[in-house]
Amino acid sequence: MNRKEIYEKILKMLEKEQNHLRNRYEFGEIDFDNYEELSFERDEEYEEYIVDLATTNDDELEEKMSFIINTNLDTF
């Protein structure tokens, strides 16, 4: 998997996480403040993945990004 594919996968994972949080808020499982806090935390977490992707050298890319690479988006 190349960097572009990993980057796109990170964005898809974040999108799924944000949709899940939005659904929890819309169905009343969490309140708005909690939704905002969790959403912000997810944005920060995935921003770190993107920074890691950008700063990791090619030799360590597969090891460092293994969580992203091995994630099955269908079951995530």
Side-chain angles (χ1 to χ4, degrees):
M1 184 172 272
N2 64 40
R3 287 180 190 271
K4 181 180 179 193
E5 293 168 329
I6 295 171
Y7 176 75
E8 290 170 353
K9 193 167 186 180
I10 290 170
L11 295 181
K12 291 260 188 220
M13 291 170 67
L14 176 58
E15 179 182 7
K16 283 185 166 251
E17 290 246 24
Q18 293 292 9
N19 286 338
H20 176 70
L21 288 173
R22 193 173 307 109
N23 285 338
R24 289 182 64 200
Y25 168 67
E26 288 175 358
F27 288 105
E29 294 177 28
I30 57 176
D31 64 21
F32 182 75
D33 290 337
N34 200 358
Y35 165 74
E36 260 191 336
E37 179 182 339
L38 291 170
S39 180
F40 177 78
E41 288 173 1
R42 290 300 168 275
D43 285 341
E44 293 290 309
E45 177 184 353
Y46 283 85
E47 186 175 314
E48 287 179 29
Y49 292 144
I50 291 170
V51 169
D52 285 346
L53 175 63
T55 59
T56 299
N57 68 43
D58 290 341
D59 296 335
E60 298 174 335
L61 185 63
E62 189 171 325
E63 179 183 337
K64 191 123 185 192
M65 295 284 107
S66 64
F67 167 71
I68 305 297
I69 292 168
N70 295 325
T71 297
N72 181 344
L73 288 175
D74 294 331
T75 60
F76 182 73

